[in-house]
Amino acid sequence: MKGWNGQLLRVDLSKQKAGVQTYDVKLARNFLGGRGFAVKLLWDELRSGVDALSPENKLLFVAGPLSGFLLPSSGKLVVAAKSPLTGGYGDGNIGTVLTVQLRRAGYDGVIIEGRAKKPVYVWINDGKTEILDAGDLWGLRSFKTEKEIEARHGKTVGMLSIGPAGENLVKFANIVSQQGRAGGRPGMGTVMGSKNLKAVAAKGTNEVPAADPNALKRFGTDALREILKKPNYKFWKRQGTMATIEWSQENSVLPTNNFREGVFDEAESIGGFQMEKMKVSNRGCPNCNMTCGNVIKDSTNGPSELDYENVAMLGSNIGLGRLKEVASLNRLADDWGIDTISLGNAIGFAMEARERKLLDYDLEWGDLDKAKALAEDIVYRRGIGNTLAEGTKFASEKLGGDASDWAMHVKGLELSGYDCHVAPGMALSYGTCSIGAHHKDAWIISWEVSFGRESYAEAKVDKIIELQRIRGGIFECLTTCRLPWIELGFELDWYPKFLRAATGENLTMHDLIVIADRVLNLARAFWIREYQKRWSTAMDNPPPRWFKGPLTRGPFKGKALDREKYHSMLQLYYAKKGWDKRGIPKQITLEKLGLPDVAQELLRYVRLTQ
Ligand code: PTT
Ligand code: SF4
């Protein structure tokens, strides 16, 4: 095999053993890599109903066939497991040197299984893998952990680690790398913590085999040059995703006070231009010339790397309008290894609960010290923090009353940063994303705003399906960053060319779309197998707030989503996907995608429509 190493590393922490597993070219052709491999392996190797925090769950780190080559923005890695937050399929995409080192060590992925008796970390040094004692690292925050591991194994190693949130099994703990890259929103850091695994580090010294190394080199050089020429490149380097703050405010989708509103009075002071005044450097993922991490200095906690989601969720959504303060909370979140999006939701939810007198805790919109104190209580599971550490859905059920109406999640995963009171397409995208409420699979909002905000037209359903295939399918399987394409217009037809030079496989865009459909349907099947008779179309609904509680401010004052029209869109979406009225893939759909065995297994749990 070329492009793919054809090898996975399997590490059994219970048995303290690591072994190499080869895989078939069929897996590569049918599932490509990254999310594709992750979904397939989790489907094949987990039993239905497995406890996500038990040794039986598996944690996967999977690269794609372009990772490790000098191709644009190719330093990303999928981290996946059954999610302890949602009970369904969970993954995230993290930029990390580990991807490059892992591939150079000869692996396309690592499967972590079992649970170590005491804290450990895994050290992969080319062909040799050791499971080492991490007793002295346990309890450390993630930045310190990285420094310690670098001191042991050298500055060039690639590494992923968890902080105290993962250790304390906070359900939305994520995994951190390079002091500011973080991924695995649906509790991938929690699964790591449940396995007593503090970190994974790797170093590899081999070349990843390519089918046509000369062509690959040429394409890489040309593509990187092409990116530099894109008209938006200079502005992107200045602001990265932070420009979205001003855009969201202008379009009334900036999450404000627990998604109650879409405009925030202090948006300007947390926006991209304000950030530029404070920025000290750019950081990024390996093999990327777009380096979008905006570093600003926070005098209390050290440098903080700002992205749109971090600032929207830890800023406007909790009423905090001073960028320096947002940065300080963001830096802490990275150091604790907790997802900023879910944290911003949990804090916003608690602030609203306190306002409604459902919660007795000293909190106020926009008060940094109180927000920090609550965040720390969540990370260390103290008092109400212990309840919120289980996720906003759980906390709302515990608080009772109408709290579930304004607990902002889909399937248990808290919403990322777009208010959808007047964005039915984006609401449907959240409703049908394969991990819960995340914009990863279909960020339709910018297209939707220009197409017609209030429309529930079929064109929106088509656009969502198209985006889910490209973003949630192709990019997640390749594990390359999608931002060159979305933000700068870097053309999609580069990718089949890269793939051909790397792997020798002649995969057309159409072939890639079929793979995407296979992967997305298998992810859906995973959810159905977990939820079985508990599955219903309500799982694909956005939070009730967007239907019931119209905006009270801004250009769309008085507007909210229409429940009936949303449901018609959802049914149309199902029909176009080849799913039945319950949102379950039809038998024929699975068979057409080469998944007849999946259909047979699903039949054990639910009735399938022909
Ligand atoms: C991603 C989610 C996002 S999406 C952001 S900011 W964004 C938040 N970042 C966090 C953070 O930082 N620290 C923290 N403690 N928690 C955080 N949670 C949030 O996680 C990220 C970039 C960004 S920045 C985006 S949109 C794109 N996402 C991609 C993707 O999903 N797939 C892909 N093929 N390419 C992508 N490119 C972009 O990558 P999750 P990163 Mg991320 C500090 O992790 O779980 O996928 O959730 O990994 O390396 O930081 O890059 O405005
Ligand atoms: Fe990483 Fe940003 Fe480059 Fe994407 S554009 S690879 S997120 S630095």
Side-chain angles (χ1 to χ4, degrees), residues 528-553:
I528 307 294
R529 187 174 70 173
E530 290 306 314
Y531 274 79
Q532 302 177 13
K533 299 257 155 42
R534 290 180 296 140
W535 180 267
S536 79
T537 57
M539 299 279 294
D540 292 334
N541 279 349
R545 155 154 286 165
W546 287 339
F547 296 113
K548 288 184 178 174
L551 293 170
T552 67
R553 306 190 49 216

Side-chain angles (χ1 to χ4, degrees), residues 14 25 115 169 187 195 247 250 285 289 307 433 565 588:
S14 299
V25 72
R115 171 189 290 151
L169 306 183
K195 299 193 171 301
W247 180 87
E250 272 161 35
C285 313
N289 60 354
D307 287 308
C433 173
K565 288 184 184 161
I588 187 148

Side-chain angles (χ1 to χ4, degrees), residues 410 423-432 456 537 540-542 547 561-572:
V410 175
M426 192 65 212
L428 184 64
S429 157
Y430 279 137
T432 56
Y456 291 74
T537 57
D540 292 334
N541 279 349
F547 296 113
L561 288 182
D562 181 304
R563 197 180 284 276
E564 260 179 47
K565 288 184 184 161
Y566 177 84
H567 281 136
S568 304
M569 261 183 125
L570 182 61
Q571 284 301 330
L572 186 59

Side-chain angles (χ1 to χ4, degrees), residues 1 35 83 85 100 201 229-230 239 243 247 249 271 310 334 343 359 495 551:
M1 246 190 274
R35 177 181 260 184
S83 161
L85 181 64
V100 179
K229 284 193 266 167
K230 293 289 177 196
Q239 297 203 356
W247 180 87
Q249 171 79 353
N310 307 139
D334 284 349
L343 181 64
L359 189 65
Y495 293 92
L551 293 170

Side-chain angles (χ1 to χ4, degrees), residues 338-557:
I338 193 166
D339 176 48
T340 50
I341 296 176
S342 289
L343 181 64
N345 271 279
I347 297 173
F349 171 81
M351 286 175 167
E352 180 157 359
R354 145 89 201 197
E355 191 180 72
R356 291 171 180 258
K357 303 202 179 353
L358 274 172
L359 189 65
D360 183 17
Y361 190 98
D362 189 15
L363 268 179
E364 237 161 89
W365 296 111
D367 186 318
L368 172 70
D369 290 337
K370 290 175 182 168
K372 258 190 195 167
L374 178 63
E376 195 169 295
D377 282 349
I378 293 173
V379 170
Y380 291 96
R381 285 186 166 275
R382 298 186 290 238
I384 185 65
N386 191 35
T387 304
L388 290 164
E390 292 294 307
T392 308
K393 174 173 184 284
F394 176 91
S396 69
E397 287 160 4
K398 186 130 196 225
L399 281 192
D402 64 353
S404 293
D405 285 357
W406 36 273
M408 304 306 284
H409 69 88
V410 175
K411 301 182 180 71
L413 181 68
E414 288 79 9
L415 287 168
S416 62
Y418 303 92
D419 184 81
C420 297
H421 277 92
V422 196
M426 192 65 212
L428 184 64
S429 157
Y430 279 137
T432 56
C433 173
S434 35
I435 59 167
H438 196 44
H439 57 281
K440 177 193 291 278
D441 286 7
W443 189 68
I444 191 185
I445 188 89
S446 68
W447 180 88
E448 177 164 42
V449 162
S450 54
F451 174 84
R453 287 286 290 272
E454 298 182 54
S455 148
Y456 291 74
E458 183 175 352
K460 287 196 181 177
V461 176
D462 291 336
K463 193 72 186 173
I464 289 171
I465 293 174
E466 177 195 327
L467 290 174
Q468 286 175 337
R469 284 173 167 153
I470 298 171
R471 297 167 57 110
I474 299 173
F475 279 108
E476 290 316 302
C477 291
L478 293 176
T479 71
T480 51
C481 179
R482 58 176 187 249
L483 296 181
W485 166 63
I486 308 164
E487 301 292 347
L488 302 188
F490 180 70
E491 295 78 6
L492 281 179
D493 52 18
W494 282 95
Y495 293 92
K497 288 196 280 190
F498 294 158
L499 263 174
R500 202 171 314 128
T503 67
E505 296 284 329
N506 208 1
L507 293 165
T508 62
M509 208 29 124
H510 174 74
D511 297 328
L512 295 178
I513 284 171
V514 174
I515 293 173
D517 277 347
R518 184 175 299 124
V519 172
L520 295 171
N521 271 274
L522 188 53
R524 185 69 167 193
F526 188 97
W527 279 92
I528 307 294
R529 187 174 70 173
E530 290 306 314
Y531 274 79
Q532 302 177 13
K533 299 257 155 42
R534 290 180 296 140
W535 180 267
S536 79
T537 57
M539 299 279 294
D540 292 334
N541 279 349
R545 155 154 286 165
W546 287 339
F547 296 113
K548 288 184 178 174
L551 293 170
T552 67
R553 306 190 49 216
F556 295 96
K557 187 174 163 185

